[in-house]
Amino acid sequence: MKHSNVLVRTAALSLLVAVSLPAHSWTRALTFENGSIGAKAQSGASTDFDDAAGGSYFTNEQVLTGNQAAKLTVTGGSTAFGEWGGIINYPELLRKGDEVWFSVNTYFPAGFNYDSTGGGGHLKFLRIHAQTSGGSNSGYNDWYMNPEAASVPHKFIYEGQQQWFEFGDPSDEVQRGRWETYEMYVKFDNVPASQGGSAIVRVWKDGRLLREITGAKTLNNSSDTSDRAHIFTYWNGAAPKTQHMYVDDIVVTSDTPSNRDSFGNPMVGGASTGGSSGSESRPAAPELNVQ
């Protein structure tokens, strides 16, 4: 099953192919086109996952563009690290002052249960890792999905700060049976923009800015770096059942995209956003500082 707006996404991806660029300017475009159907989508190619993707497979069951996508599976009762989702390594470390855009297209089939019963009752979704100068874990910039039918469907936290920022209306929760585009932007700094630094996080769904977060730091220390991005990888409280969903055309880039949202912010965008025109019709929600 293919999305009708293939040409727009193909054109967008053609602008984001990994090429030789200046320092801290690179792109990973995961199209999942170069593996055998049914094989693990962690083949060593730059166009699929690098790690923790034991339950992710090349598929043609649901496809956004091209001929293949990735089918992500999880086993009921498992927290599933190494099985659920995957890790995308950066070609080059990002540091204070650098930026990254992380765009993922998802297809959740009918009946998919994304509720989490542990770890605060929310599901890890898009994750940007930070580490110390010595390579030790320093926390994640985490987009979480709240349980279905929550009054606010999404939230963000930088684990080094432990402060929650919620966003989205009820209509912004997962819509099953269709492709959706989610995107997160992170500007790296150990001082939030609201406190005179430059740390900013932006989150979009289907090209519409859900929130700009200026009260969160995105590194613990000025010497910290970011080395990779995760989609899912760990199910808090264990998955409620054995199930699967699909992803396609994942982009992780430090190179400023050419698309813009309706506020003029650079974004990867995608097929469902109508290219650079976007579909945003309302301002970002005011910032909430929820402990």
Side-chain angles (χ1 to χ4, degrees), residues 34-188:
N34 297 317
S36 301
I37 298 298
K40 186 167 70 172
Q42 185 183 316
S43 68
S46 64
T47 52
D48 49 77
F49 295 119
D50 297 304
D51 201 359
S56 299
Y57 304 96
F58 296 108
T59 185
N60 56 8
E61 295 172 359
Q62 292 287 350
V63 177
L64 177 63
T65 65
N67 297 306
Q68 296 184 183
K71 180 178 183 178
L72 277 50
T73 67
V74 65
T75 302
S78 173
T79 52
F81 185 81
E83 172 192 11
W84 169 235
I87 291 174
I88 305 140
N89 293 327
Y90 299 168
E92 185 177 1
L93 293 178
L94 298 178
R95 296 172 169 80
K96 179 174 178 174
D98 289 335
E99 304 167 286
V100 69
W101 289 259
F102 184 14
S103 174
V104 177
N105 295 280
T106 66
Y107 185 101
F108 291 89
F112 190 94
N113 184 346
Y114 60 88
D115 288 355
S116 174
T117 59
H122 38 243
L123 179 67
K124 288 179 169 69
F125 180 35
L126 302 186
R127 316 184 66 201
I128 298 293
H129 182 247
Q131 61 180 8
T132 67
S133 57
S136 299
N137 179 49
S138 187
Y140 287 83
N141 292 277
D142 271 340
W143 178 337
Y144 285 87
M145 290 181 175
N146 283 331
E148 187 170 9
S151 58
V152 181
H154 305 284
K155 62 176 62 176
F156 170 85
I157 192 171
Y158 174 60
E159 291 178 338
Q161 185 176 2
Q162 295 301 318
Q163 184 175 350
W164 292 105
F165 302 86
E166 295 191 311
F167 54 94
D169 291 333
S171 60
D172 295 315
E173 70 178 8
V174 166
Q175 303 297 307
R176 298 177 182 85
R178 70 178 180 88
W179 285 99
E180 300 182 300
T181 302
Y182 295 88
E183 183 172 346
M184 178 166 66
Y185 159 84
V186 175
K187 176 73 175 282
F188 293 105

Side-chain angles (χ1 to χ4, degrees), residues 21-26 92-95 98-99 253-255:
L21 294 166
H24 306 314
S25 189
W26 47 257
E92 185 177 1
L93 293 178
L94 298 178
R95 296 172 169 80
D98 289 335
E99 304 167 286
T253 184
S254 68
D255 189 24

